[in-house]
């Protein structure tokens, strides 16, 4: 099951904010930063899609472990 455009858009904002915090201190070009954000966003969306497909929503929730 694929994520809807709305789900992908909502995730994109959160992923971008997180990734920017991680890479702000590194001297990179705008293109390198965009590539890293895109790669992380795609990875995150694939994980959500797998969870939706397998109905394993609990696997996507934060854990104290």
């Amino acid at each position: 099951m694929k994520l809807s455009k709305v789900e992908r858009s909502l995730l994109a904002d959160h992923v971008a904010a997180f990734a920017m915090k991680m890479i702000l201190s590194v001297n990179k070009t705008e293109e390198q930063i965009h590539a890293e954000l895109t790669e992380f966003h795609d990875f995150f969306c694939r994980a959500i899609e797998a969870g939706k497909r397998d109905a394993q929503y609990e696997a996507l929730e934060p854990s104290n472990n």
Side-chain angles (χ1 to χ4, degrees):
M1 175 184 295
K2 295 275 187 183
L3 294 176
S4 70
K5 283 188 175 188
V6 172
E7 289 169 320
R8 290 183 68 86
S9 178
L10 290 170
L11 287 171
D13 291 341
H14 293 287
V15 169
F18 174 80
M20 287 304 292
K21 290 179 186 176
M22 300 301 290
I23 61 176
L24 276 177
S25 63
V26 179
N27 187 16
K28 295 190 177 189
T29 66
E30 185 176 339
E31 290 79 15
Q32 289 170 319
I33 292 169
H34 186 268
E36 286 186 25
L37 290 171
T38 300
E39 183 179 343
F40 184 75
H41 178 254
D42 290 344
F43 172 80
F44 193 71
C45 288
R46 284 191 305 272
I48 299 295
E49 289 168 359
K52 287 177 71 173
R53 181 186 63 240
D54 299 334
Q56 295 178 358
Y57 295 105
E58 66 277 2
L60 303 173
E61 295 176 2
S63 172
N64 291 332
N65 295 337

